[in-house]
Amino acid sequence: MHIAEEVASEAVAHGFKRLAITGTRWLVDSEVYPSALTAQGLAYMRPTPEERDEINRIIMNELVCGVLKAEAVAYFQRVYARMKDAGCDAVVLGCTEIPLIMGDTNSPLPTLDSTRLLARAALRRAVALPRGSD
């Protein structure tokens, strides 16, 4: 199982066409999600370099430390709204900490929580296997 492939499959199942990718700068700058998304016919958009820097700062300096600020929520909402206006129809929460402050209840875009989607896929796979088979 590959986390980005699970997210891409979920996006396809929901009929999404163009995903916003958010996470740490290292993830967003990588080809992890673009490769998996394009393999399933999905388009994607990354935050601007300035947005990537601020998202990375919020994740590493606040969320990882358990600091949850209204200002961080507002920033993510602005970035997601801009990406929605640019044609994205869902957003990948590509970092385990982002769901601490963002989700379907406060995001301008439907969210795809990568950690939750991978966990669900692992559970489906685990219960599908006969006991004792590895």
Side-chain angles (χ1 to χ4, degrees):
M1 290 187 306
H2 187 284
I3 194 165
E5 291 171 4
E6 295 300 329
V7 171
S9 293
E10 185 76 6
V12 168
H14 281 87
F16 298 132
K17 303 291 183 204
R18 186 174 192 209
L19 305 183
I21 303 171
T22 57
T24 62
R25 182 167 191 83
W26 304 283
L27 176 71
V28 174
D29 286 347
S30 78
E31 291 302 311
V32 170
Y33 276 94
S35 295
L37 299 177
T38 56
Q40 293 202 38
L42 297 165
Y44 64 90
M45 181 179 188
R46 294 175 168 124
T48 67
E50 296 79 19
E51 291 167 341
R52 291 179 211 184
D53 287 342
E54 182 61 7
I55 288 170
N56 194 73
R57 186 198 67 74
I58 290 168
I59 293 168
M60 299 306 292
N61 296 349
E62 295 177 17
L63 302 181
V64 166
C65 300
V67 176
L68 312 177
K69 295 182 179 179
E71 294 87 356
V73 173
Y75 187 79
F76 274 82
Q77 288 172 327
R78 285 192 304 275
V79 171
Y80 294 176
R82 183 191 66 72
M83 296 175 93
K84 180 179 182 179
D85 291 344
C88 291
D89 54 6
V91 60
V92 175
L93 308 182
C95 173
T96 57
E97 287 79 16
I98 297 173
L100 295 172
I101 61 169
M102 296 304 298
D104 285 336
T105 59
N106 67 348
S107 173
L109 286 167
T111 62
L112 296 163
D113 180 343
S114 61
T115 305
R116 188 173 308 243
L117 292 171
L118 182 63
R120 286 181 181 152
L123 180 60
R124 281 192 308 273
R125 185 173 182 181
V127 298
L129 293 175
R131 185 174 288 292
S133 64
D134 293 68

